[in-house]
């Protein structure tokens, strides 16, 4: 009888642990959104390089915006800085923006770049 009770308790506890972990929020590990021309906010900018950088400007991860200006970047750090640049044409000023993925929703950010 004691072994059955012990087994029932163990099953109940493990079931409760699994159910709590199923509803736990998942950690965000990416920043995504659109890059726009500030002088024409309806115009998404394609070909903009998006770099996750550290405090020494070392690149940790990188991507490029699509033709419509969309980007999605898996980041290495939950508190990070992204650099948005136009290295091919240098038509737009480089922008830097910090994100704290543990405190803010970074799944649909908007970045507005100014022309040089």
């Amino acid at each position: 009888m004691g072994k059955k009770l012990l087994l029932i308790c163990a099953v109940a506890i493990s079931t409760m642990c699994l159910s709590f972990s199923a509803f736990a929020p998942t950690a965000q590990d990416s920043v995504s959104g659109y890059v726009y021309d500030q002088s024409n906010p309806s115009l998404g900018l394609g070909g903009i390089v998006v770099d996750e950088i550290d405090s020494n400007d070392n690149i940790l991860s990188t991507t490029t915006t699509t033709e419509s200006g969309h980007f999605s970047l898996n980041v290495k750090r939950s508190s990070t800085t992204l650099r948005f640049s136009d290295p091919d044409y240098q038509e737009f000023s480089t922008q830097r923006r910090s994100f704290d993925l543990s405190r803010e929703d970074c799944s649909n950010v908007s970045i507005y770049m100014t022309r040089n």
Side-chain angles (χ1 to χ4, degrees):
M1 178 71 167
K3 288 183 179 181
K4 277 188 176 179
L5 184 58
L6 188 59
L7 180 62
I8 291 171
C9 288
V11 169
I13 290 171
S14 62
T15 302
M16 286 175 34
C17 290
L18 288 174
S19 65
F20 285 129
S21 64
F23 293 106
T26 57
Q28 190 176 357
D29 63 352
S30 66
V31 179
S32 60
Y34 288 87
V35 177
Y36 299 102
D37 180 345
Q38 186 172 3
S39 65
N40 184 359
S42 64
L43 179 62
L45 296 175
I48 299 298
V49 175
V50 183
D51 296 318
E52 178 186 19
I53 55 173
D54 65 14
S55 59
N56 295 319
D57 282 348
N58 296 314
I59 297 172
L60 304 174
S61 56
T62 190
T63 191
T64 304
T65 59
T66 63
E67 195 173 295
S68 64
H70 183 264
F71 73 94
S72 183
L73 181 63
N74 288 333
V75 295
K76 308 284 187 212
R77 301 177 176 182
S78 63
S79 182
T80 193
T81 300
L82 299 187
R83 177 177 58 202
F84 300 84
S85 60
D86 180 17
D88 291 337
Y89 302 105
Q90 299 177 356
E91 187 176 348
F92 294 92
S93 298
T94 298
Q95 303 285 325
R96 292 172 190 259
R97 178 136 171 230
S98 296
F99 297 94
D100 187 346
L101 282 68
S102 64
R103 295 179 182 242
E104 61 185 309
D105 179 12
C106 300
S107 62
N108 192 21
V109 300
S110 296
I111 306 297
Y112 298 92
M113 296 187 69
T114 57
R115 290 183 182 272
N116 287 327

